């Protein structure tokens, strides 16, 4: 049974055991929401379309050849998913997988490739000021975004070093010098690509939804290159399977939210007599593991933290770091499911690959953090 189908079965069991008409109605309303349910699926589909179009233009192969010719093969393993990890959506995970060095499969197992891609796509989330959960936490608690970034930046560095050491193999440089063939781009194609670049800059500066940018780019390419786009629009069996897996996970998160399970766990832990910082930490771990998204635990924990007297920035830094670490290791993380599916690796094997480097980095940072603030 796949991870998505497992979550679907759990959703059905929860609704049968604890649901009622009002809960089911709430779940359906949530699933009808474009931003919550349809948007991630649309983004993932449009990214797969762009991936196939870029393949037809030969751009992905050119990037791989360029990095290999410059003897940056090992660096490209971390740089490509790390850079594309700035795309704040599940579609960025699929795009990063498709941009990976094509000869990597000859040297590494599929699970190691999935682990490298997944790990380095997320190493910067700890101190990335563009992450929605980070911005939301700072807004709710009135914490300086730059203070948070500075405190969590060492964790980003530790995570990169740990992944570089434990995941990326030490390949010998090839004695052969590979020449990179230039892509033949005529004036018309160059003008269209420049227009796409301008559209990208506009949508980035305007802070509009990413699916709006993708729709605009796909429409531009469809008008300019109708044949290539038409042949790229049809989803493959793998695309349909992946979309179904993501949909099942979103259904599970909706059921958990509508049943109030998160609030029940929060009340139980907070009323259990444990120290407040430990209670907040336990709630963060549970919600991050169940949902796989930072907004879930931030929306519940940070309003409680904001009521505390004194400077709570230290606690905010700790809880965000803990939540991001748990997100690395939960099967409900959509990007993990995407990577596992792309490389035909089981979710459990992928988690085994990333557990040690992610944990080592987090432990080193935790020791440093508590040494400074305790």
């Amino acid at each position: 049974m796949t991870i998505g189908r497992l979550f679907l079965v759990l959703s059905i069991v929860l609704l049968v055991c604890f649901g009622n008409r009002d809960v089911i109605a709430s779940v359906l309303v949530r699933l009808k929401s474009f931003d919550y349910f349809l948007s991630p699926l649309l983004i993932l589909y449009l990214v797969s379309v762009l991936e196939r179009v870029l393949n037809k233009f030969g751009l992905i192969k050119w990037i791989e050849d360029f990095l290999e010719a410059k003897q940056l093969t090992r660096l490209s393993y971390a740089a490509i998913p790390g850079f594309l990890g700035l795309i704040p959506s599940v579609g960025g995970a699929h795009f990063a997988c498709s941009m990976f060095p094509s000869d990597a499969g000859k040297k590494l197992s599929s699970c190691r490739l999935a682990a490298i891609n997944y790990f380095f796509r997320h190493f910067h989330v700890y101190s990335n000021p563009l992450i929605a959960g980070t911005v939301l936490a700072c807004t709710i608690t009135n914490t300086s975004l730059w203070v948070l970034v500075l405190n969590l930046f060492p964790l980003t560095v530790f995570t990169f070093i740990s992944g570089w050491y434990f995941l990326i193999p030490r390949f010998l440089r090839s004695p052969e010098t590979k020449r990179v063939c230039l892509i033949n781009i005529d004036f018309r194609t160059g003008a269209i690509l420049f227009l796409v670049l301008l559209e990208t800059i506009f949508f980035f500066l305007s802070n509009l939804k990413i699916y709006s940018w993708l729709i605009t780019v796909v429409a531009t390419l469809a008008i300019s290159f109708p044949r290539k786009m038409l042949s790229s629009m049809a989803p493959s069996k793998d695309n349909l399977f992946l979309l179904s897996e993501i949909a099942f996970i979103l259904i599970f998160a909706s059921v958990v939210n509508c049943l109030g399970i998160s609030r029940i766990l929060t009340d139980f832990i907070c009323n259990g007599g444990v120290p407040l910082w430990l209670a907040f930490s336990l709630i963060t771990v549970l919600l991050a593991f169940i949902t796989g998204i930072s907004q879930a635990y931030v929306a519940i924990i940070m309003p409680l933290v904001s009521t505390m007297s004194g400077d709570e920035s230290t606690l905010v830094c700790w809880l965000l770091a803990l939540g991001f670490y748990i997100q690395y290791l939960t099967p409900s993380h959509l990007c993990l499911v995407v990577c596992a599916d792309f490389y035909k690796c089981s979710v459990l094997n992928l988690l085994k690959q990333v557990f040690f480097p992610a944990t080592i980095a987090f432990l080193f940072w935790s020791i440093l953090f508590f040494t400074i603030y305790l």
Side-chain angles (χ1 to χ4, degrees):
M1 180 180 288
T2 65
I3 191 67
R5 292 170 185 170
L6 175 61
F7 277 117
L8 180 62
V9 171
L10 290 175
S11 301
I12 295 172
V13 171
L14 288 172
L15 286 176
V16 170
C17 296
F18 305 105
N20 52 45
R21 288 185 178 180
D22 291 338
V23 170
I24 294 175
S26 298
V27 171
L28 292 176
V29 168
R30 195 171 179 85
L31 295 180
K32 290 178 182 178
S33 167
F34 182 83
D35 286 338
Y36 175 78
F37 188 70
L38 296 178
S39 173
L41 302 180
L42 177 62
I43 289 170
L44 193 58
Y45 165 70
L46 292 175
V47 167
S48 69
V49 171
L50 286 181
E51 171 200 333
R52 290 189 286 272
V53 172
L54 290 177
N55 265 324
K56 292 181 185 298
F57 278 111
L59 181 60
I60 294 177
K61 187 66 170 62
W62 181 84
I63 293 174
E64 296 168 355
D65 291 344
F66 177 81
L67 291 170
E68 187 174 350
K70 295 299 182 181
Q71 297 293 332
L72 295 176
T73 304
R74 194 175 179 217
L75 177 60
S76 67
Y77 279 72
I80 291 176
F83 175 74
L84 293 176
L86 297 175
I87 300 177
S89 75
V90 65
H94 196 280
F95 201 40
C97 291
S98 67
M99 294 284 282
F100 221 44
S102 58
D103 65 339
K106 303 174 184 177
K107 305 173 184 178
L108 296 172
S109 68
S110 59
C111 281
R112 177 57 67 89
L113 292 176
I116 293 173
N117 201 305
Y118 173 71
F119 189 93
F120 283 98
R121 178 171 146 70
H122 296 89
F123 81 91
H124 52 66
V125 296
Y126 294 110
S127 57
N128 186 343
L130 302 178
I131 299 297
T134 300
V135 175
L136 182 62
C138 291
T139 302
I140 293 174
T141 61
N142 197 28
T143 300
S144 168
L145 185 61
W146 298 113
V147 168
L148 188 142
V149 168
L150 288 175
N151 276 285
L152 269 60
F153 183 73
L155 180 52
T156 294
V157 175
F158 291 158
T159 303
F160 181 88
I161 293 173
S162 181
W164 181 272
Y165 184 81
F166 291 108
L167 292 178
I168 300 183
R170 295 161 180 78
F171 294 142
L172 295 175
R173 292 190 175 188
S174 173
E176 300 179 0
T177 302
K178 187 173 182 178
R179 291 187 176 183
V180 182
C181 297
L182 296 177
I183 301 177
N184 294 323
I185 300 179
D186 56 25
F187 177 79
R188 174 172 170 271
T189 303
I192 296 300
L193 294 178
F194 181 70
L195 176 60
V196 169
L197 176 62
L198 292 179
E199 291 171 348
T200 303
I201 294 173
F202 170 77
F203 276 92
F204 178 79
L205 295 178
S206 302
N207 197 28
L208 297 173
K209 298 288 187 181
I210 190 170
Y211 59 76
S212 302
W213 167 69
L214 287 170
I215 291 173
T216 304
V217 170
V218 168
T220 301
L221 295 175
I223 294 172
S224 307
F225 310 102
R227 290 185 179 179
K228 288 185 177 180
M229 286 301 300
L230 186 62
S231 62
S232 302
M233 295 297 287
S236 64
K237 288 184 178 180
D238 288 341
N239 290 148
L240 293 175
F241 171 78
L242 180 58
L243 289 171
S244 67
E245 290 286 284
I246 300 302
F248 294 155
I249 293 175
L250 291 173
I251 290 172
F252 173 75
S254 177
V255 171
V256 168
N257 181 274
C258 294
L259 284 173
I261 293 177
S262 300
R263 177 60 60 184
I264 293 171
L265 290 173
T266 301
D267 294 340
F268 175 78
I269 293 174
C270 287
N271 296 329
V274 297
L276 207 53
W277 70 269
L278 180 58
F280 288 162
S281 298
L282 291 174
I283 296 169
T284 298
V285 168
L286 287 171
L287 295 181
F289 188 83
I290 291 173
T291 65
I293 55 176
S294 59
Q295 294 94 317
Y297 56 86
V298 165
I300 292 177
I301 290 296
M302 295 307 167
L304 301 176
V305 173
S306 65
T307 62
M308 298 175 61
S309 59
D311 182 16
E312 66 272 4
S313 60
T314 302
L315 182 58
V316 172
C317 291
W318 163 252
L319 293 176
L320 272 180
L322 179 63
F324 285 135
Y325 165 69
I326 296 301
Q327 283 181 250
Y328 246 124
L329 305 174
T330 175
S332 62
H333 191 153
L334 299 184
C335 295
L336 185 141
V337 178
V338 170
C339 282
D341 174 75
F342 188 93
Y343 291 103
K344 309 305 177 188
C345 169
S346 73
V347 170
L348 180 60
N349 286 334
L350 176 52
L351 286 173
K352 288 179 180 178
Q353 295 272 346
V354 301
F355 175 79
F356 188 74
T359 302
I360 287 293
F362 185 73
L363 288 177
F364 269 103
W365 175 83
S366 299
I367 293 171
L368 176 65
F369 184 77
F370 285 110
T371 299
I372 294 174
Y373 288 105
L374 287 184

